[in-house]
Amino acid sequence: MSRSIILILLTNIIISVVIVVSSHSWFSIWIGLELNTLSVLPLLCGQFTPRGVESTVKYFLVQAFSAAMILNVGLVQLWLCSSWSVNCPLNDFSSVVITLSLCLKLGLFPCHYWFPDVLQGLNFLQGLLLSTWQKVAPFIILVSVCNVISINILTILGCLSVLIGGWGGLNQSQIRKIMAFSSISHLGWISSVLSYSVYISCVMFVVYIVLSSAAFLINNEASLYNLSSLGRLMSCNSVVGLVLILIILSLGGLPPLTGFLNKFVALECLLSNNLLVPCSVLIVGSLLSLFFYLRISFNSILCLFPHHSMMIFSWRSISSFSNNVSFYTILLSSLSSVSILGLVLMPVSWCYY
């Protein structure tokens, strides 16, 4: 695929998200979502591998079905309220349908099954696109309707997503599937807080995008596709290994790294609303997620991790990471720095108070 076509598709993806963000009508939101889906599909199957085409078809079916659910909600609102406006109150049926459709787009429980399988069939850059930028438009819609949908349902689905994300990643050996379950867990934290504080939820979402971008980019740069490929990372390039460990621990939420900001602010918000049971569920799910984060960190440190004799390790890509200076490495270095700053960013969250 030529660079000009890629540039046009990326421009359409950005424009479609801007349409969704600036829309107050269900019809224009549906148009933006469909434009976004049709623009991202050629990027997902650009290499035209059987596994990539399969993941692209699955992603298209999921996104088309969820967009159709949103359009049906808009038609019901037009029938009842004679208006396409998003601000019109939703009945119980429309509230449940719009919540499930957005959960399907975001990959939240109980509509999360497609996300790990789709992400496993793509490379890290395509997975980065699906895990970060493609979540922006559904998240903005969820922010717009959080005042008219059931708070209890959204909180329960968020807590269950944290549990499923932590439990599902325990038995995984593929880095992309681990990142997929990590995304499910983080979006569960964000959704649990959204009904009680939109500002805190947006801060958590931005932190999640930064952390996930750094993790995906460094895995792509070092070609780390499974846990066994992490064993000789420190011996090949200690800087890459150390940065990866810090980013993964930051995703796990260990203080004083940046990922601790998400969990600290979320628990503070929920405890201020006397939600002790959801806080307990979120903490348990976070401990489950922390197990496979620590497993990635330990495998990165071990220099004598058992390898199969036929395993091919990408020495050249790892060794060249610190030697070539380009926009790609500068972007990765910036994201890694923000991921490690940690509690320095804590005053940003306290502006809410």
Side-chain angles (χ1 to χ4, degrees), residues 302-351:
L302 294 176
C303 297
L304 297 177
F305 191 84
H307 289 86
H308 193 274
S309 58
M310 298 299 294
M311 194 192 80
I312 300 176
F313 194 78
S314 55
W315 299 82
R316 181 176 299 176
S317 61
I318 296 178
S319 61
S320 64
F321 169 71
S322 59
N323 299 328
N324 297 330
V325 179
S326 61
F327 174 77
Y328 186 81
T329 55
I330 293 174
L331 175 62
L332 179 55
S333 302
S334 303
L335 293 175
S336 303
S337 302
V338 176
S339 303
I340 300 169
L341 281 177
L343 298 181
V344 178
L345 297 178
M346 188 64 72
V348 177
S349 63
W350 290 106
C351 294

Side-chain angles (χ1 to χ4, degrees), residues 139-324:
F139 178 73
I140 294 299
I141 299 175
L142 192 60
V143 170
S144 302
V145 301
C146 65
N147 295 324
V148 295
I149 62 177
S150 176
I151 296 177
N152 295 328
I153 293 178
L154 189 59
T155 304
I156 292 173
L157 293 181
C159 293
L160 292 176
S161 298
V162 175
L163 287 177
I164 294 299
W167 186 265
L170 292 178
N171 197 31
Q172 302 297 330
S173 60
Q174 299 294 323
I175 300 296
R176 285 167 292 183
K177 279 196 174 182
I178 292 177
M179 294 301 298
F181 284 107
S182 173
S183 176
I184 294 172
S185 178
H186 278 85
L187 287 172
W189 278 88
I190 296 171
S191 301
S192 301
V193 184
L194 181 61
S195 300
Y196 303 96
S197 176
V198 175
Y199 175 80
I200 290 179
S201 182
C202 292
V203 171
M204 294 173 62
F205 187 71
V206 172
V207 172
Y208 156 74
I209 289 179
V210 172
L211 295 177
S212 295
S213 300
F216 273 102
L217 288 176
I218 199 169
N219 283 316
N220 178 73
E221 184 70 18
S223 299
L224 304 174
Y225 292 99
N226 48 57
L227 293 179
S228 62
S229 63
L230 297 170
R232 300 185 185 273
L233 182 59
M234 290 293 290
S235 61
C236 295
N237 194 317
S238 58
V239 176
V240 176
L242 181 60
V243 171
L244 177 63
I245 292 172
L246 291 175
I247 291 174
I248 293 300
L249 293 179
S250 183
L251 277 172
L254 288 181
L257 300 174
T258 307
F260 179 69
L261 174 69
N262 274 13
K263 296 177 174 56
F264 180 83
V265 174
L267 292 177
E268 170 69 22
C269 178
L270 294 177
L271 288 176
S272 63
N273 290 276
N274 298 320
L275 298 174
L276 298 180
V277 175
C279 287
S280 302
V281 175
L282 292 176
I283 291 174
V284 172
S286 181
L287 291 177
L288 292 174
S289 301
L290 187 60
F291 178 82
F292 58 78
Y293 288 130
L294 291 176
R295 184 170 60 174
I296 294 177
S297 302
F298 291 154
N299 290 345
S300 301
I301 297 174
L302 294 176
C303 297
L304 297 177
F305 191 84
H307 289 86
H308 193 274
S309 58
M310 298 299 294
M311 194 192 80
I312 300 176
F313 194 78
S314 55
W315 299 82
R316 181 176 299 176
S317 61
I318 296 178
S319 61
S320 64
F321 169 71
S322 59
N323 299 328
N324 297 330

